[in-house]
Amino acid sequence: QVQLVESGGGLVQAGDSLRLSCAASGRAFNPYTMASYTMAWLRRAPGKEREFVATISLSGRSTYYADSVKGRFTISRDNAKNTLYLQMNSLKPEDTAIYYCAASRTGWTTIPVLGHFGSWGQGTQVTVSS
């Protein structure tokens, strides 16, 4: 089974930046098969349902962003390193959540579908103080 491990979370002040990383490992994830997966970042805020933050296609040419993070967050991938990234700028208290990376064997879609993502990381906590 594919293993996904997030890192880079922490406690920051409003307006600060963070860069999250997601390392993929396992037989299904190697420098050549990484490109076969649509990748995503999701988050779960306290007392709320999980939601998609951003997704990225196999090549990185297509992306999706939640309206709440457009212009502030950037998703990217390095298939050769089996690593997914989320650059988070101008952080707000409402961004406080556990952030998860996820992988899908299906192709990228304009509107992300939760059921497509079968592999998840353990999550990394992001806390933004005012």
Side-chain angles (χ1 to χ4, degrees):
Q1 196 165 34
V2 175
Q3 301 292 321
L4 301 174
V5 181
E6 302 94 335
S7 62
L11 174 62
V12 298
Q13 299 282 333
D16 286 353
S17 297
L18 280 175
R19 189 197 191 203
L20 305 184
S21 297
C22 173
S25 62
R27 197 165 185 269
F29 274 75
N30 61 63
Y32 304 102
T33 60
M34 175 69 177
S36 297
Y37 290 82
T38 299
M39 302 296 294
W41 286 99
L42 298 92
R43 67 186 181 185
R44 179 177 61 80
K48 298 183 179 180
E49 297 294 321
R50 60 186 172 181
E51 64 175 349
F52 280 98
V53 175
T55 67
I56 187 167
S57 63
L58 277 54
S59 66
R61 289 195 289 268
S62 297
T63 57
Y64 159 89
Y65 293 97
D67 288 340
S68 60
V69 307
K70 285 182 179 178
R72 299 189 298 120
F73 291 9
T74 302
I75 188 172
S76 62
R77 64 192 296 162
D78 188 333
N79 291 338
K81 294 183 177 180
N82 288 318
T83 305
L84 177 74
Y85 304 98
L86 183 67
Q87 179 65 46
M88 310 164 70
N89 298 327
S90 302
L91 283 163
K92 304 175 180 180
E94 50 262 47
D95 294 319
T96 295
I98 300 175
Y99 284 72
Y100 303 88
C101 66
S104 169
R105 293 174 182 168
T106 63
W108 182 88
T109 56
T110 55
I111 304 297
V113 180
L114 187 61
H116 288 175
F117 293 84
S119 298
W120 294 70
Q122 86 290 344
T124 185
Q125 177 70 49
V126 172
T127 302
V128 185
S129 63
S130 59

